[in-house]
Amino acid sequence: TTEANLLLHVIDSNDEQRDLYIDQVNEVLQEIGAQNIVQIEIMNKIDLGDRTAGVERGTGLQPDKIWLSAQSGEGLDILLDYLGEYFAQQAFRGQLKLTPAQGRLRASLYDDQAIEEESISEQGDFLLTVNIDRRKLDSYLQKEGLELDKISA
């Protein structure tokens, strides 16, 4: 849980004590150090009430909510579309230009199988096509003291 990119918190939307249960789950997340992991609340069982399927955007620190019914399948397409958009925004896919002195970053990218294509420029720089989780790339860049805009090709 603490290493997740995203938490899907499935909630019985018709349970009268749902707010209590949400608070209890959030307390556990706090205890294990996962309170800063992005969370989406999946409000299930809309088929038992009068709510329709959809996305409710959170404000401030409130998470987004996806209203659906696992039983009937209503809203599952909305959840899948939402997740596709979310993860597309969380990925970096582009070109990087690394000098030979930046070989440690290149090795890390290879270890993560993030390099899709590589060539070498006439100046000896590595030209890489990369597809990687943005947070992981940012972590590597921070370790190396690099900025993405300075190595983007």
Side-chain angles (χ1 to χ4, degrees), residues 2 5 9 13 15 29 77 87 96 127 145-147:
T2 59
N5 292 325
H9 182 176
S13 65
D15 191 314
L29 292 174
D77 56 337
F87 284 110
L96 300 180
L127 304 175
L146 298 170
E147 296 177 23

Side-chain angles (χ1 to χ4, degrees), residues 103-122:
R104 187 169 44 198
L105 173 57
R106 181 175 166 262
S108 295
L109 294 170
Y110 266 108
D111 286 345
D112 277 334
Q113 300 178 338
I115 297 176
E116 296 178 343
E117 190 176 313
E118 177 181 34
S119 62
I120 299 176
S121 73
E122 291 179 14

Side-chain angles (χ1 to χ4, degrees), residues 96-98 102 105 134 137-138 140-153:
L96 300 180
K97 182 170 119 175
L98 303 180
Q102 296 163 332
L105 173 57
R134 181 59 192 250
L137 177 60
D138 289 344
Y140 289 149
L141 294 175
Q142 185 177 11
K143 282 182 195 173
E144 300 299 323
L146 298 170
E147 296 177 23
L148 183 59
D149 60 341
K150 302 238 190 292
I151 62 169
S152 291

Side-chain angles (χ1 to χ4, degrees), residues 5-144:
N5 292 325
L6 176 68
L7 297 176
L8 300 181
H9 182 176
V10 180
I11 300 162
D12 181 344
S13 65
N14 289 296
D15 191 314
E16 292 178 6
Q17 295 185 3
R18 76 176 187 209
D19 291 337
L20 172 67
Y21 297 142
I22 291 169
D23 290 343
Q24 289 173 340
V25 167
N26 289 332
E27 285 177 24
V28 171
L29 292 174
Q30 176 87 27
E31 288 173 12
I32 65 172
Q35 70 276 6
N36 293 326
I37 307 280
V38 175
Q39 186 181 139
I40 299 170
E41 293 181 348
I42 308 299
M43 305 303 284
N44 191 23
K45 299 187 180 182
I46 62 169
D47 53 308
L48 300 178
D50 59 355
R51 183 74 191 215
T52 59
V55 176
E56 182 181 321
R57 299 288 177 182
T59 56
L61 297 175
Q62 295 299 314
D64 289 351
K65 294 179 178 164
I66 310 276
W67 296 82
L68 57 76
S69 169
Q71 177 72 30
S72 72
E74 182 184 2
L76 289 178
D77 56 337
I78 294 170
L79 173 62
L80 293 175
D81 289 346
Y82 180 96
L83 292 175
E85 290 174 22
Y86 176 84
F87 284 110
Q89 294 172 3
Q90 301 304 310
F92 171 83
R93 186 168 196 288
Q95 306 286 324
L96 300 180
K97 182 170 119 175
L98 303 180
T99 66
Q102 296 163 332
R104 187 169 44 198
L105 173 57
R106 181 175 166 262
S108 295
L109 294 170
Y110 266 108
D111 286 345
D112 277 334
Q113 300 178 338
I115 297 176
E116 296 178 343
E117 190 176 313
E118 177 181 34
S119 62
I120 299 176
S121 73
E122 291 179 14
Q123 295 77 27
D125 294 328
F126 298 103
L127 304 175
L128 309 173
T129 301
V130 177
N131 189 358
I132 188 170
D133 178 85
R134 181 59 192 250
R135 290 188 319 171
K136 190 174 274 191
L137 177 60
D138 289 344
S139 172
Y140 289 149
L141 294 175
Q142 185 177 11
K143 282 182 195 173
E144 300 299 323

